[in-house]
Amino acid sequence: MNLTHKIIRAHLACGDMTPGGEIGLRIDQTLTQDATGTMAWLQFEALGLPRVKAELALSYVDHNTLQMNFRNPDDHRFLRTAAARFGGVFSPAGTGICHQLHLENFARPGATLVGSDSHTPTAGGIACLSMGAGGLSVALAMAGEPYRIPMPRVTRVWLEGRLEGWTQAKDIILELLRRLTVKGGVGRVFEYGGPGAATLSVPERATIANMGAELGATASLFPSDEATRAFLRAMGRERDWVELAADPDAVYDDEVRIDLSALRPLAACPHMPDRVKPVAELAGLAVDQVCIGSCTNSSFRDLELAARILDGRRVNPGTDTLVSPGSKQALMMLEQGGWVKALLNAGVRFLECACGPCIGSGGAPVSGGVSARTFNRNFEGRSGTADAAVYLVSPAAAAWAAVNGRFTDPATWGDAPARPLPTDVPAAPSIRHLFVFPPEDGSDVDVVRGPNIAALETFPAFEGAFEGRVTIRLGDNVTTDHIMPAGAEILALRSNVPAIAEHVFSRVDKGFVARARAASPEGGAGGGRGIIVAGDNYGQGSSREHAALAPRHLGIRVVLARSLARIHRANLVNFGILPLVFVNRDDYERVPEGAILRIPVESVTPGGIVNIEVEGAGSIPASNDLSAAELAVIRAGGLLNAVRAGRS
Ligand code: MIC
Ligand code: SF4
């Protein structure tokens, strides 16, 4: 067996392990973050259970920590009190980024983890089978329900050789993105192995597992070996270590091989993580801003390497250079080594240990600016500046861009760090006391809500024949950032669906909301008549369920696409939106915006084909990959309705 199958088998609650078939997994740990967490905890509350049933439920505050008015702090207070009431562990704003903190403090080899953030698979770096999901799916996992996914195929990524010169772990995952694209991982787990994998430390593995999300993968997994043990020892929890590996004769669905010694520093160019080029080809391009941090590259070693480069140098005065450590632990380790002073002396700006510029929560680049970031996503407009050009690079490439004020050929960067790099990290100061553990009995804790926290909406069942209008027609690889933009102002509305719905598609089509309202004057609660038509990989990127829930609030009931990203597809189901797929790819051309479609919803069967009548243009076949349980959820008007009906 491969390692993925071993962990799945040990957690299998239902289904059989045939690729594509639905399985249910017992979930050991859950995590939420503030931007998706308010909905997730409201939904958990709506399930009516007194306490979470998962072994560990973390509630992190890391995305929107700016607190520009009452909205964020109110959300944070809600999350703190809800965690105490229902048995979650609360991580206050500024403690660090959920994935970095989870890796350092809670993730364990062989466990399962579901988190309401698409980069939850970061914990795959420590051999934890971890997956991103919408908030409602996580609420169900907190309630002890199995997490349902299509059984993934398993791709073996065989790493040979070792990283040389200035090449870093980031370049390994950028190379995979270059080869496989942002949809190359849909329905797959990437399981890493080989002599090259053994040379990587846990934080380096975590960088790779983190950006498996950009491939669209369900999860990424490294073995648990001596490097894992060394990392856990440094974090003061060697007791969590177990050795885990694939059997020597393990079988995989397919394989990718990478010779690490042949890699060179790479950059993902605007505006997609798979537009990858060698950094050398960008030489000469002026860089206005450098950001070092995010859940991809904010570990102690990442920041230390940047600090070593910047030590004794001055960042280019025209290059605004921001550092956001992944956790207070990483920051304290930097401080112990004297690296905070080195960075400050170089002219770096220190930000809070949080997501910050990665989600457009501060740190927007100048107009038309070039920003070199150690982050994982460079979607158009995500930085907060509509016409900025964001390049995704390693910490080394970012630090050199800060020094030089432009990209330069790595051949000119001088002596690279001595290899091999250590696979362990220095002993870290414990920050365990900063997490707020819940009382044994939280039943008398008052869950405090501010005025921005709106009540959950109830949607009607979806039955009978449906006639609706194509409200928008989109191309390929539309991200959830296109559907439901983030940034400090809009993020502040995450607990208020009617308010945030005003921003759906606002960065790509300012007329969408008005058209959706015209198609469904009664809105989502009254049913709705809106349809979204899209190309391939619709809804890639984040796990934010608002990208399904807010369109549903506006009356969207069907998405008809060439293909869909995994988490967004699950979120559509959770909120009762029917995801259909063109049987003939060319039929996409036959459904223009404004078209009226008639869909016999009562005839939809799991995996079956229905004929959609396009008014004035004949009929087109559409299929689906829904399980019977998912179809029942859609017919019930969403997962909350279905669960409530099942319990009554
Ligand atoms: C992201 O990186 O896009 C986010 C912000 O972390 C999202 C979650 C969210 O939108 O709240 C994600 O990756 O799931
Ligand atoms: Fe935060 Fe960015 Fe990571 Fe999302 S990708 S969790 S916004 S640091």
Side-chain angles (χ1 to χ4, degrees):
M1 269 201 283
N2 57 50
L3 181 53
T4 310
H5 284 181
K6 287 185 187 184
I7 302 180
I8 289 180
R9 164 133 328 157
H11 290 84
L12 197 65
C14 54
D16 71 61
M17 291 166 57
T18 317
E22 189 178 77
I23 55 167
L25 290 176
R26 271 190 306 279
I27 297 302
D28 300 319
Q29 304 184 346
T30 63
L31 73 79
T32 56
Q33 42 88 342
D34 52 307
T36 54
T38 45
M39 292 307 294
W41 286 90
L42 283 169
Q43 287 151 346
F44 178 81
E45 187 181 39
L47 295 175
L49 292 184
R51 207 170 166 88
V52 295
K53 290 193 175 162
E55 149 195 321
L56 187 68
L58 256 295
S59 175
Y60 294 98
V61 174
D62 56 356
H63 275 61
N64 201 358
T65 57
L66 289 183
Q67 304 181 324
M68 294 194 299
N69 55 38
F70 66 93
R71 291 189 180 89
N72 287 152
D74 281 7
D75 282 356
H76 303 166
R77 179 180 56 183
F78 165 77
L79 290 167
R80 177 171 53 77
T81 53
R85 168 80 179 76
F86 297 116
V89 180
F90 181 69
S91 172
T95 313
I97 304 173
C98 55
H99 309 304
Q100 183 66 26
L101 285 173
H102 208 79
L103 187 76
E104 291 173 343
N105 297 283
F106 299 106
R108 55 179 180 79
T112 50
L113 163 69
V114 169
S116 60
D117 192 282
S118 66
H119 291 102
T120 303
T122 310
I126 203 166
C128 172
L129 183 66
S130 42
M131 294 152 287
L136 181 48
S137 300
V138 177
L140 265 279
M142 295 196 290
E145 300 286 332
Y147 176 55
R148 290 168 189 272
I149 49 164
M151 175 67 198
R153 294 179 194 283
V154 185
T155 299
R156 178 163 87 157
V157 187
W158 193 250
L159 304 180
E160 293 161 321
R162 62 167 71 239
L163 293 171
E164 286 172 12
W166 287 105
T167 313
Q168 289 191 265
K170 180 67 160 277
D171 303 305
I172 303 176
I173 187 66
L174 289 176
E175 170 65 8
L176 266 176
L177 277 155
R178 187 185 72 78
R179 292 196 203 173
L180 304 179
T181 81
V182 289
K183 52 180 200 251
V186 177
R188 296 177 175 278
V189 172
F190 286 81
E191 189 175 312
Y192 292 80
T199 66
L200 301 172
S201 65
V202 166
E204 287 175 299
R205 297 173 184 184
T207 293
I208 296 167
N210 173 279
M211 281 191 81
E214 278 47 70
L215 291 163
T218 304
S220 298
L221 210 50
F222 278 83
S224 173
D225 56 11
E226 283 305 319
T228 319
R229 183 183 210 158
F231 178 80
L232 282 167
R233 190 183 306 125
M235 296 299 133
R237 51 190 194 102
E238 193 176 353
R239 65 184 178 283
D240 285 342
W241 184 74
V242 284
E243 189 168 16
L244 285 176
D247 293 331
D249 57 350
V251 177
Y252 293 86
D253 292 292
D254 48 19
E255 184 180 83
V256 180
R257 282 178 175 259
I258 302 181
D259 176 4
L260 301 189
S261 51
L263 291 180
R264 295 292 171 264
L266 298 171
C269 302
H271 298 286
M272 240 355 117
D274 59 3
R275 297 206 180 132
V276 175
K277 278 189 188 167
V279 171
E281 285 182 23
L282 302 173
L285 179 65
V287 175
D288 303 288
Q289 184 197 52
V290 165
C291 298
I292 301 175
S294 94
C295 57
T296 314
N297 280 124
S298 59
S299 67
F300 163 68
R301 287 270 183 238
D302 282 336
L303 304 181
E304 181 203 31
L305 179 65
R308 280 183 193 277
I309 294 167
L310 293 170
D311 192 15
R313 297 188 164 96
R314 168 78 172 87
V315 302
N316 183 285
T319 309
D320 196 16
T321 302
L322 292 70
V323 171
S324 37
S327 67
K328 283 191 173 168
Q329 213 157 357
L331 179 53
M332 287 180 198
M333 288 161 83
L334 268 191
E335 201 266 330
Q336 277 175 357
W339 300 115
V340 170
K341 189 168 171 207
L343 287 166
L344 291 175
N345 261 329
V348 154
R349 296 166 59 190
F350 259 96
L351 303 184
E352 196 171 19
C353 304
C355 299
C358 180
I359 191 56
S361 196
V366 293
S367 294
V370 169
S371 178
R373 300 178 157 207
T374 66
F375 303 172
N376 49 39
R377 290 187 173 142
N378 57 350
F379 305 143
E380 197 169 5
R382 178 175 160 106
S383 65
T385 300
D387 58 0
V390 174
Y391 293 77
L392 306 174
V393 294
S394 68
W400 281 112
V403 170
N404 295 319
R406 59 197 164 88
F407 286 115
T408 48
D409 187 338
T412 66
W413 294 353
D415 292 339
R419 301 285 178 159
L421 292 179
T423 50
D424 60 353
V425 288
S430 172
I431 57 163
R432 209 165 170 84
H433 60 289
L434 298 180
F435 299 105
V436 186
F437 288 84
E440 276 301 316
D441 177 3
S443 55
D444 58 359
V445 174
D446 192 18
V447 179
V448 189
R449 300 147 229 263
N452 187 43
I453 301 185
L456 296 179
E457 203 168 353
T458 308
F459 300 116
F462 197 7
E463 289 159 336
F466 167 78
E467 180 180 291
R469 184 182 286 276
V470 177
T471 320
I472 190 167
R473 184 163 165 280
L474 300 143
D476 293 341
N477 293 324
V478 167
T479 72
T480 53
D481 281 75
H482 292 109
I483 306 169
M484 187 72 264
E489 285 156 27
I490 304 179
L491 274 179
L493 305 173
R494 286 287 181 96
S495 329
N496 189 335
V497 174
I500 205 169
E502 296 300 321
H503 301 272
V504 174
F505 287 120
S506 56
R507 294 222 180 105
V508 288
D509 181 347
K510 295 230 177 302
F512 172 80
V513 173
R515 288 200 305 280
R517 287 205 195 292
S520 306
E522 75 287 9
R529 300 245 157 269
I531 299 170
I532 291 172
V533 169
D536 272 315
N537 202 22
Y538 179 68
Q540 68 151 329
S542 85
S543 69
R544 65 190 71 146
E545 63 190 358
H546 300 75
L549 181 51
R552 180 71 193 91
H553 170 81
L554 296 170
I556 298 297
R557 306 205 84 183
V558 176
V559 169
L560 176 58
R562 280 178 165 157
S563 63
L564 292 124
R566 178 186 71 89
I567 305 177
H568 186 61
R569 176 197 162 285
N571 285 336
L572 293 174
V573 172
N574 283 354
F575 295 103
I577 299 178
L578 178 63
L580 293 176
V581 179
F582 289 104
V583 172
N584 306 315
R585 294 176 57 78
D586 293 348
D587 283 344
Y588 167 83
E589 307 296 343
R590 294 175 54 195
V591 277
E593 188 182 300
I596 303 282
L597 309 188
R598 285 187 198 90
I599 304 175
V601 174
E602 74 286 0
S603 312
V604 176
T605 54
I609 291 183
V610 284
N611 284 315
I612 299 180
E613 195 192 321
V614 186
E615 194 172 82
S619 81
I620 57 170
S623 66
N624 69 78
D625 59 357
L626 297 165
S627 67
E630 287 175 322
L631 192 55
V633 164
I634 293 169
R635 290 198 197 287
L639 188 54
L640 266 185
N641 289 357
V643 172
R644 283 192 190 119
R647 294 221 164 126
S648 62

